[in-house]
Amino acid sequence: MTLKRRLFISNIIMVLLPLVLVWVIMMCIGIGMYGVHGLDFDMPAAEKQQMFEDWQKNGRVISLIMMVIAIIITSMTNQFLTRKIIKHVIKLLDTLSCGARQFSKNNLSFRIDYHTADEFRPVCDTFNSMAAQLEKNENNRRELIAGISHDLRTPLTSIKMSIDGIKSGIASTVEQREKYTEIIENKTADLEHIINQLFLFSKLDMDEFTIQTQLVNCSAMMEDCIEELSLEYEQRGLMLVAKKLSRDMYINIDPLLFRRVIINIFENTVKYKTAEKGHIAIDCSPDSETKNVEISLTDDGPGVSPENLEKLFDVFYRADQSRNKKGSGLGLAISAKIIARMGGVIRAELPAAGGLAIVIRLPRIEKDAYNGK
């Protein structure tokens, strides 16, 4: 029962109960003073006159008594019903206060078990949703720290070992010193890449990164990316295949950031491919129902389990423990934030033929309408 209905019923009870009780008391007083026959309306006129005179004599006293009784009954009824409602409210406030104390103790798994359909139900549901989001953020923070620590430790260890090799004289020849120097240069580049990724992610997360959008022909842009990157990824064992690139589709994006998204997806495919040579098929087609453009990048890698599809875009998430040694895990998280800033959505799908598909959906822009603005 809602609090509004409780108050409405309480008000009715506070009005009707005193009236009923006062009426009962008056009837009892009348019976006590005149007996049962005093209530007989067929009594002789002389007796009725005598009764009326008696009521006139005692009327003021009886009225005062009835008023006092009515006030007492009303006050007692009001106190009882108010206490009952306040007890319900205080109980919930105590529960919310308990939840706040649990949060202060970093117990973010605490939830309010409240199923009554009243005005407090949305408050409790909001509290539980907030708790779930805080718990998820805390888990992401812990994973972020653990991921950063792992990803920074690996190249730093290699750099330290190479420096120790040079200082201790293990690298005694020019070729060995050059080899160790090359390792230091490569691992320094890895560190720089991780730091740049973290910097970009933090800027996007705090909404402090400027997006410079412009109207772009989607198919032409994807063709340029494939032509520019094909040789590099082919040497790394990934073949870029353009399957369907529909013409004359325009989207409003930041070309440099969008290119970073595409590269992040390619890099993710290279890291997790199991065959010596992997393939990724690129589709770019219009969605007539939603008036959007869909860009699909489908690989033939191992894929992920269905329950992990939504988690692929979480910070430092890996689909399984064996992938913890491969990369920072920031690429898809950054891609999701970039696409969201451009007004689009990105999702992962499991194709029937196997592998993993990353699908980007962006609003389709009519070129003439855009120029008219």
Side-chain angles (χ1 to χ4, degrees):
M1 185 184 298
T2 64
L3 184 62
K4 183 178 180 180
R5 182 171 295 181
R6 289 172 187 264
L7 292 173
F8 178 73
I9 294 175
S10 298
N11 290 333
I12 292 178
I13 293 175
M14 281 190 290
V15 172
L16 293 181
L17 183 61
L19 292 177
V20 172
L21 291 177
V22 167
W23 180 80
V24 171
I25 292 172
M26 290 181 66
M27 293 295 294
C28 292
I29 291 175
I31 293 174
M33 292 177 62
Y34 305 105
V36 178
H37 297 290
L39 301 176
D40 186 1
F41 293 98
D42 294 329
M43 68 176 64
E47 293 185 12
K48 288 183 178 181
Q49 181 64 29
Q50 183 63 39
M51 183 184 296
F52 179 74
E53 292 177 357
D54 291 341
W55 271 107
Q56 282 185 324
K57 293 178 181 178
N58 302 317
R60 292 182 179 179
V61 176
I62 294 175
S63 298
L64 182 60
I65 293 174
M66 291 300 101
M67 184 179 298
V68 172
I69 292 174
I71 292 173
I72 294 173
I73 295 174
T74 302
S75 300
M76 293 176 63
T77 305
N78 179 56
Q79 185 178 10
F80 173 77
L81 295 175
T82 302
R83 183 179 296 176
K84 190 173 182 180
I85 293 175
I86 290 178
K87 183 179 179 181
H88 175 74
V89 174
I90 291 177
K91 183 179 179 181
L92 178 64
L93 292 177
D94 287 340
T95 304
L96 291 171
S97 178
C98 177
R101 288 194 297 271
Q102 293 295 323
F103 283 2
S104 67
K105 298 176 182 178
N106 206 31
N107 179 18
L108 300 180
S109 62
F110 178 84
R111 300 291 184 273
I112 295 177
D113 187 17
Y114 191 86
H115 303 288
T116 305
D118 59 14
E119 290 84 354
F120 296 112
R121 179 68 178 273
V123 177
C124 295
D125 290 343
T126 302
F127 183 95
N128 289 336
S129 297
M130 178 188 67
Q133 185 62 45
L134 288 173
E135 186 176 23
K136 180 180 178 181
N137 291 341
E138 177 63 16
N139 291 335
N140 285 343
R141 184 188 67 82
R142 292 175 179 174
E143 291 178 4
L144 180 65
I145 294 174
I148 292 173
S149 301
H150 174 274
D151 292 333
L152 294 179
R153 186 188 304 116
T154 303
L156 283 173
T157 301
S158 298
I159 292 172
K160 185 177 181 298
M161 291 176 62
S162 298
I163 293 174
D164 288 344
I166 295 174
K167 290 176 65 177
S168 63
I170 295 177
S172 56
T173 65
V174 175
E175 290 78 8
Q176 288 176 330
R177 287 194 292 272
E178 288 180 351
K179 180 181 178 181
Y180 282 156
T181 302
E182 183 180 356
I183 291 174
I184 293 173
E185 290 177 348
N186 291 337
K187 296 306 176 180
T188 302
D190 290 343
L191 286 174
E192 184 180 12
H193 174 71
I194 294 171
I195 292 171
N196 288 337
Q197 290 279 79
L198 286 170
F199 180 76
L200 175 59
F201 179 83
S202 64
K203 286 293 185 182
L204 290 168
D205 195 45
M206 294 185 293
D207 200 19
E208 294 180 356
F209 195 88
T210 303
I211 301 289
Q212 298 179 344
T213 60
Q214 64 185 66
L215 192 65
V216 174
N217 187 316
C218 181
S219 300
M221 180 194 61
M222 293 305 299
E223 286 177 345
D224 291 342
C225 283
I226 294 171
E227 182 179 355
E228 179 185 350
L229 301 172
S230 285
L231 180 59
E232 174 189 346
Y233 282 100
E234 184 176 350
Q235 293 173 347
R236 298 170 62 186
L238 181 64
M239 309 296 294
L240 309 183
V241 182
K243 289 189 65 177
K244 181 181 178 183
L245 299 177
S246 301
R247 300 295 176 182
D248 298 327
M249 293 186 304
Y250 291 88
I251 51 180
N252 192 29
I253 60 170
D254 185 319
L256 293 178
L257 286 179
F258 190 81
R259 184 177 181 277
R260 183 187 288 259
V261 170
I262 300 301
I263 291 176
N264 284 345
I265 296 172
F266 290 165
E267 289 293 322
N268 195 67
T269 302
V270 170
K271 290 172 188 174
Y272 302 129
K273 69 183 181 67
T274 52
E276 183 179 351
K277 282 196 175 182
H279 300 79
I280 185 165
I282 297 99
D283 291 347
C284 186
S285 58
D287 187 337
S288 57
E289 294 183 0
T290 60
K291 296 182 180 180
N292 290 323
V293 173
E294 280 198 353
I295 302 168
S296 176
L297 300 98
T298 307
D299 64 39
D300 55 358
V304 298
S305 57
E307 60 269 18
N308 288 331
L309 284 177
E310 294 293 332
K311 301 177 183 178
L312 285 178
F313 303 98
D314 290 346
V315 182
F316 278 99
Y317 174 77
R318 282 91 167 180
D320 56 66
Q321 294 300 320
S322 64
R323 295 186 173 188
N324 284 343
K325 297 180 181 180
K326 297 182 178 181
S328 65
L330 273 173
L332 291 182
I334 290 174
S335 298
K337 288 188 176 294
I338 290 175
I339 295 300
R341 289 287 301 276
M342 295 180 187
V345 294
I346 185 170
R347 68 181 188 275
E349 296 178 353
L350 294 176
L356 180 70
I358 303 296
V359 180
I360 301 169
R361 175 177 289 181
L362 288 162
R364 184 177 181 180
I365 308 297
E366 296 296 335
K367 186 176 181 180
D368 293 340
Y370 185 87
N371 291 335
K373 292 182 180 181

